[in-house]
Amino acid sequence: MTRAELLTYCLTKPGARLDEPWDGDVVVKVASKIFAFLGSDSGSAVGLKCGHDRGAADEWLLRYPGDVSVMAYIGRFGWNTLRTGGAIPDDEVLEAVDGSYDAVVAKLPRKDRPA
C-alpha cells in the first residue's frame, strides 16, 4: 500500500481532515484530534492508536516485531508506528486505521462527533 492510498483511505472517514501541525509532517484529524500520523512525504509508516493502553497495543509488537514500534512520547497511551510495505498485510493496516479512528471518535464530546 502506498502512502497516497493510505492517506486517501484515512480521509474517507466521516469528519476526517488533513492537517500539517509541524512543518512537513502530515496528520489526519477528526474534529481537533489526530487519529493517524503519516509524517513526511517520504514516510512508509503510520502512527495509530492500537489499543486502549500500552498492554493492548503491545500485541502488535508481538505479532510484527520488525514492523511495529512504540511511538515516542504517546506510546504509553497505546500508540504504535506501523511500517507499511512490510510484513503487516494491507488489510490489517486498514483495520488498525479503523480502530484508531473509532477510539479517537469515542473520546470526543458528543457535539464534536461526526454524524
Side-chain angles (χ1 to χ4, degrees):
M1 168 182 325
T2 67
R3 183 179 185 279
E5 291 169 333
L6 184 56
L7 177 58
T8 298
Y9 184 78
C10 289
L11 291 173
T12 64
K13 298 291 182 194
R17 66 181 176 83
L18 188 66
D19 194 12
E20 191 176 323
W22 309 281
D23 191 33
D25 281 335
V26 172
V27 301
V28 184
K29 292 181 172 182
V30 58
S32 63
K33 301 293 184 180
I34 297 171
F35 72 90
F37 290 86
L38 292 167
S40 66
D41 286 338
S42 61
S44 61
V46 60
L48 300 168
K49 177 102 170 131
C50 291
H52 62 282
D53 62 13
R54 185 71 253 150
D58 282 348
E59 292 177 26
W60 281 92
L61 295 170
L62 297 172
R63 287 190 359 234
Y64 302 106
D67 290 304
V68 176
S69 59
V70 176
M71 284 188 72
Y73 308 110
I74 60 173
R76 69 181 177 274
F77 301 109
W79 288 83
N80 288 336
T81 300
L82 281 62
R83 188 169 68 87
T84 56
I88 307 171
D90 290 349
D91 63 326
E92 286 192 42
V93 173
L94 297 179
E95 286 176 22
V97 168
D98 295 343
S100 183
Y101 173 84
D102 292 343
V104 169
V105 167
K107 293 283 186 174
L108 291 173
R110 286 201 188 274
K111 67 179 182 62
D112 293 337
R113 293 181 189 171

